[in-house]
Amino acid sequence: MKANKPSLILFFLALLCTIIFDWTEQDFLAVYAKAIVLPAIFFYFLISNNYKIGKTEAFIFLFCFVGQVFDLMEVEVSKIGAVLSFLVVYMLLLRFFIVNHERIKLRRKDILPVSIVVIFIVYLLVSVLSLQSESIKKLNFIYTFYGIVLSVLSYFSFVSYITKGTHITLLMSLMAISYIFSDIFYIFNEYFSFSVVLVLIRDITQILAYYFMAEYFLEKTKTAKRIIIQ
């Protein structure tokens, strides 16, 4: 067994336990299962990358962990703490994309799908932000800025996949989709009455976002090595 496999197995076991405990409404046990997710995927990434990690990746994992801790603590400052932590994550990811990827060049055939992506993202942003519970209204400006940053990140990911269609851009898009659905269903959980289905979708997509993010970082490292060899 490869050295990174136990961490990946632990990650997916934590995901499975989260699904089971969420479904059976065992909130106390679900908290413990979700607490295992990030350390497991972090060690999977670290071992797979020969114990090397860049500053940006390190800060992204760190703020994901901080945001997850705030979310699990459920104290008075949990909401603002989690939102600010993941806002930093998205801003760092966006910076990572811009610095480490070539400039997007649109071709004529890309105009229609890109236009559909832009309309879809703007529609989601406006629709979700219009669902304002009392807790969201208090942080309206932060949520709006948070939504804009995530929208730009998603635009960059989707358009990169449309124009290039590579494995790494697919991972970028899957990560962005997972983060979008995680945040949308987080808002739904705040706005609508409690639903096990909403909680399940929120937690599953958030956990999968971490997986796709780690795989993206690993694929980016492999791509950089191939370029150097060539």
Side-chain angles (χ1 to χ4, degrees), residues 39 51 66 74 89 106 150-151 202 221:
Y51 299 96
V66 172
E74 295 186 357
V89 170
L106 292 179
L150 179 56
S151 297
R202 180 199 65 190
T221 302

Side-chain angles (χ1 to χ4, degrees), residues 79-108:
K79 287 185 175 62
I80 184 63
V83 169
L84 291 177
S85 297
F86 282 104
L87 176 59
V88 173
V89 170
Y90 296 157
M91 292 175 70
L92 288 172
L93 280 171
L94 184 58
R95 178 185 177 278
F96 190 89
F97 287 174
I98 293 171
V99 171
N100 292 280
H101 289 271
E102 296 177 3
R103 186 177 177 182
I104 295 174
K105 296 179 181 178
L106 292 179
R107 298 158 295 185
R108 183 173 294 179

Side-chain angles (χ1 to χ4, degrees), residues 8-209:
L8 190 60
I9 292 171
L10 180 61
F11 172 82
F12 281 108
L13 280 176
L15 171 59
L16 179 61
C17 289
T18 300
I19 294 171
I20 294 171
F21 295 144
D22 276 346
W23 184 255
T24 56
E25 298 185 37
Q26 301 291 324
D27 295 339
F28 182 74
L29 294 175
V31 166
Y32 280 100
K34 286 185 281 187
I36 298 172
V37 167
L38 260 171
I41 201 64
F42 172 73
F43 283 113
Y44 165 72
F45 164 77
L46 199 62
I47 295 168
S48 301
N49 206 36
N50 297 317
Y51 299 96
K52 296 177 182 177
I53 185 170
K55 290 181 180 179
T56 303
E57 293 102 313
F59 277 113
I60 288 171
F61 277 112
L62 174 63
F63 279 100
C64 279
F65 180 75
V66 172
Q68 184 91 35
V69 169
F70 272 118
D71 189 40
L72 296 178
M73 284 171 59
E74 295 186 357
V75 294
E76 187 177 350
V77 296
S78 287
K79 287 185 175 62
I80 184 63
V83 169
L84 291 177
S85 297
F86 282 104
L87 176 59
V88 173
V89 170
Y90 296 157
M91 292 175 70
L92 288 172
L93 280 171
L94 184 58
R95 178 185 177 278
F96 190 89
F97 287 174
I98 293 171
V99 171
N100 292 280
H101 289 271
E102 296 177 3
R103 186 177 177 182
I104 295 174
K105 296 179 181 178
L106 292 179
R107 298 158 295 185
R108 183 173 294 179
K109 66 177 183 178
D110 297 327
I111 295 176
L112 179 59
V114 168
S115 299
I116 294 172
V117 165
V118 171
I119 293 170
F120 175 71
I121 290 174
V122 172
Y123 172 76
L124 276 182
L125 178 63
V126 174
S127 299
V128 172
L129 289 176
S130 65
L131 299 175
Q132 296 192 0
S133 64
E134 288 302 317
S135 60
I136 294 175
K137 286 180 181 178
K138 296 176 183 177
L139 305 171
N140 189 46
F141 173 76
I142 296 175
Y143 274 104
T144 301
F145 184 64
Y146 181 99
I148 291 171
V149 173
L150 179 56
S151 297
V152 175
L153 176 70
S154 303
Y155 167 82
F156 196 97
S157 302
F158 298 151
V159 174
S160 294
Y161 181 68
I162 290 170
T163 56
K164 298 175 184 177
T166 59
H167 179 58
I168 195 167
T169 56
L170 174 61
L171 290 171
M172 290 166 62
S173 298
L174 290 172
M175 176 178 61
I177 290 171
S178 298
Y179 274 126
I180 287 172
F181 276 94
S182 172
D183 290 338
I184 286 175
F185 281 90
Y186 175 85
I187 298 293
F188 284 173
N189 274 281
E190 292 292 315
Y191 186 78
F192 299 109
S193 57
F194 175 81
S195 168
V196 172
V197 175
L198 296 182
V199 172
L200 268 172
I201 297 173
R202 180 199 65 190
D203 288 346
I204 291 170
T205 51
Q206 185 179 39
I207 293 171
L208 288 177

